[in-house]
Amino acid sequence: MSFKLPELDYAYNALEPHIDARTMEIHHTKHHQAYVNKLNDAISGTSLEGKSLEDIMSNISSASAGVRNNGGGHFNHSLFWKVLSPNGGGEPEGELKDAINSAFGSFENFKDQFSNAAATRFGSGWAWLVKTNSGLVITSTPNQDNPLMDVAEVQGTPILGLDVWEHAYYLHYQNRRPDYINAFFNVINWKEVASRL
Ligand code: MN
């Protein structure tokens, strides 16, 4: 029983021009693969072996730094690939649209606040849209932390995540993180996000 790198539902070049093929390939085959390998090494022979990723996240405060960094890395990237689509973009519909309007007033307000969370996360980390007991909330986390972790400032179920580590955009966007954030909105798979609500 060990964790495995998930396959993508689309080709590496499918998200161009918003996210380039080389970045996608390195991100998936090198970065994500490394998190999977190091997570498997970190839990091998421990009481965490055989547990689900969600179970591991919920008690991450008692785990090693290796499990926290690489378990978070595996969870976060697995979600990230799913909420991207070459047929993405636009705005959510139905229940998700209502939940976003209820929490943020409008889609434009949501986009501004999410983009701001992503742009102002200092150093490496993630921006999140999180389902909590009190509705949808925007937050960000450092490194490979996420809102499923019992150490997170805002805890809940992440339904949308954006990787703002430099490895996610530097080849194409260099220091222009805001341009990458803007491009991300053209490839968000809102149907997938809605299915996680
Ligand atoms: Mn990444």
Side-chain angles (χ1 to χ4, degrees):
M1 274 284 292
S2 59
F3 292 107
K4 287 190 173 60
L5 183 70
E7 286 186 19
L8 303 191
D9 299 327
Y10 41 81
Y12 291 127
N13 65 1
L15 304 177
E16 292 194 341
H18 310 293
I19 306 180
D20 67 283
R22 186 83 177 123
T23 296
M24 286 298 296
E25 184 173 7
I26 295 171
H27 203 172
H28 182 244
T29 64
K30 305 295 183 191
H31 292 277
H32 191 174
Q33 182 72 66
Y35 295 125
V36 170
N37 295 346
K38 289 176 186 173
L39 172 62
N40 286 330
D41 287 347
I43 63 173
S44 176
T46 76
S47 61
L48 297 176
E49 209 167 2
K51 287 199 173 175
S52 74
L53 211 41
E54 287 77 7
D55 277 354
I56 294 173
M57 298 294 105
S58 69
N59 196 25
I60 207 73
S61 57
S62 64
S64 66
V67 171
R68 178 170 172 174
N69 293 335
N70 296 293
H74 180 36
F75 177 88
N76 297 349
H77 289 84
S78 298
L79 183 149
F80 187 51
W81 310 133
K82 283 290 187 186
V83 298
L84 298 173
S85 168
N87 305 312
E91 297 186 14
E93 294 169 3
E95 266 184 58
L96 178 57
K97 175 185 181 167
D98 295 343
I100 283 177
N101 285 340
S102 163
F104 309 107
S106 68
F107 180 76
E108 280 309 307
N109 283 349
F110 157 74
K111 186 178 175 184
D112 285 349
Q113 289 177 38
F114 186 92
S115 299
N116 187 55
T120 59
R121 164 49 56 188
F122 185 77
S124 297
W126 292 74
W128 302 103
L129 178 61
V130 188
K131 182 186 171 187
T132 74
N133 291 336
S134 49
L136 294 177
V137 176
I138 290 167
T139 189
S140 73
T141 53
N143 306 314
Q144 295 295 355
D145 285 1
N146 65 54
L148 287 180
M149 292 182 174
D150 61 351
V151 295
E153 201 176 313
V154 172
Q155 291 178 35
T157 305
I159 63 171
L160 175 68
L162 174 58
D163 188 344
V164 295
W165 282 57
E166 284 188 344
H167 69 225
Y169 61 87
Y170 207 85
L171 280 181
H172 186 70
Y173 292 98
Q174 292 84 49
N175 61 314
R176 304 187 306 278
R177 190 192 286 189
D179 291 354
Y180 160 70
I181 295 167
N182 221 32
F184 168 69
F185 276 87
N186 293 317
V187 288
I188 296 177
N189 183 349
W190 286 114
K191 282 190 180 135
E192 174 68 25
V193 179
S195 76
R196 295 167 183 262
L197 185 65

